[in-house]
Amino acid sequence: MEIFKEDLIAALGLGPKEHLAVVGGGGKTTLCFALAKALRLAGARVVSTTTTKVWAEEAHAFPRLVLCPGGGSGLEAVKKGLDEAGNVFVGRGLLENGKVEGIPWAMADDLFREPWVEYVIIEADGAAGRPVKAPAAHEPVIPESVTLVIAVMGLGALGKPLGPDIVFRTALFKELTGLDEGDILNPEGLAKAFDKQAGLFKNAPVSARKIVLLNQLDVLTDDGAARDLAQCLTAVHPSIERVVLGSFRKKEFIVIRPERDG
């Protein structure tokens, strides 16, 4: 176990150039903001975007919003934004419902291949504000060049009864975990949500590393259940590189690595 105070980059074990897809619920947007800010403070050039949709106020909260409706001028517009601000959010356009439309996954791949981009951070699905979710058939939308998939879950769900106020797409979650409406969300049940075939790591490229961020550690009076969940995850899903127990309010991140034989 390692404890990182304020060093989110080290807690996630990021390399010098990464294409990250963030999925799940309970803090995806917070993570994307915090990570883009930390990387920029470290001197990196960072593109944040989505392959779905985000609220316009979230996109405008970045130092620069670049809209690329299509065509060959898109990459040039992003490069200009990075040259001026270093940390940009890229979308296709503003929608009538107050959201920013995300970019095609192929454009995200193109951006990551550019030498003037060091990090691409993609919010690859939605959770309607719930701490826990199960993915629908069409999601998550993860580009082929993604090097790291971070699956997020809110620890506030631990010990709560399964229901639509806690879990997004409840019916799919019940199929995935075997739990029923009203069942208590315990570590063993929640760990099943991270299945790589139908769960949060669905559609992850084979070569991509996989990390779990269990967010909202500060809402728990005792972190024992969170540690139990981390142990379940590394035992049940051997492809998970590490589990990070995080509190963005306290700016503290605890890294738990799987115990491997040999």
Side-chain angles (χ1 to χ4, degrees):
M1 184 183 72
E2 302 165 270
I3 299 177
F4 295 89
K5 194 73 174 177
E6 299 188 4
D7 196 344
L8 180 59
I9 298 171
L12 296 174
L14 300 187
K17 185 176 174 75
E18 297 270 18
H19 189 174
L20 303 98
V22 183
V23 302
K28 284 198 311 291
T29 301
T30 299
L31 170 60
C32 291
F33 274 124
L35 188 52
K37 182 178 179 180
L39 289 167
R40 182 56 192 156
L41 286 173
R45 293 160 65 90
V46 189
V47 172
S48 296
T49 186
T50 180
T51 47
T52 57
K53 301 176 181 68
V54 300
W55 291 109
E57 58 264 31
E58 295 174 358
H60 280 291
F62 285 83
R64 186 66 53 85
L65 170 61
V66 180
L67 297 178
C68 303
S73 62
L75 293 180
E76 288 80 0
V78 176
K79 186 176 188 302
K80 184 175 184 293
L82 279 177
D83 288 341
E84 295 173 352
N87 177 10
V88 304
F89 188 93
V90 179
R92 291 189 72 178
L94 297 173
L95 302 173
E96 292 184 358
N97 63 0
K99 291 190 174 184
V100 173
E101 184 181 8
I103 64 174
W105 60 262
M107 183 178 179
D109 287 331
D110 290 341
L111 282 168
F112 184 62
R113 282 191 285 265
E114 293 293 342
W116 39 267
V117 175
E118 290 166 284
Y119 294 90
V120 176
I121 303 171
I122 292 179
E123 193 167 336
D125 64 4
R130 279 34 162 233
V132 179
K133 71 163 292 182
H138 65 275
E139 61 177 1
V141 182
I142 301 179
E144 295 178 354
S145 65
V146 160
T147 60
L148 175 63
V149 179
I150 305 174
V152 184
M153 179 177 283
L155 286 168
L158 270 171
K160 301 288 178 59
L162 195 166
D165 56 329
I166 300 292
V167 178
F168 185 48
R169 299 201 172 94
T170 308
L172 291 173
F173 185 84
K174 291 193 293 184
E175 290 180 18
L176 181 61
T177 64
L179 297 175
D180 208 345
E181 192 93 7
D183 285 350
I184 296 301
L185 295 170
N186 58 23
E188 292 76 13
L190 288 171
K192 296 177 182 177
F194 293 83
D195 180 74
K196 65 181 180 180
Q197 301 299 328
L200 294 181
F201 284 117
K202 182 163 70 80
N203 298 339
V206 175
S207 60
R209 300 174 349 262
K210 300 175 182 65
I211 288 177
V212 172
L213 172 65
L214 300 177
N215 188 32
Q216 305 168 345
L217 184 62
D218 53 278
V219 306
L220 302 180
T221 56
D222 179 1
D223 66 3
R227 293 176 187 272
D228 289 344
L229 176 53
Q231 295 298 332
C232 284
L233 286 167
T234 57
V236 175
H237 307 293
S239 62
I240 292 175
E241 178 185 284
R242 65 180 69 189
V243 178
V244 180
L245 308 180
S247 168
F248 286 99
R249 186 175 67 84
K250 293 184 176 180
K251 297 181 180 179
E252 183 172 280
F253 306 96
I254 301 170
V255 176
I256 298 176
R257 301 175 189 271
E259 297 179 3
R260 306 295 191 211
D261 293 336

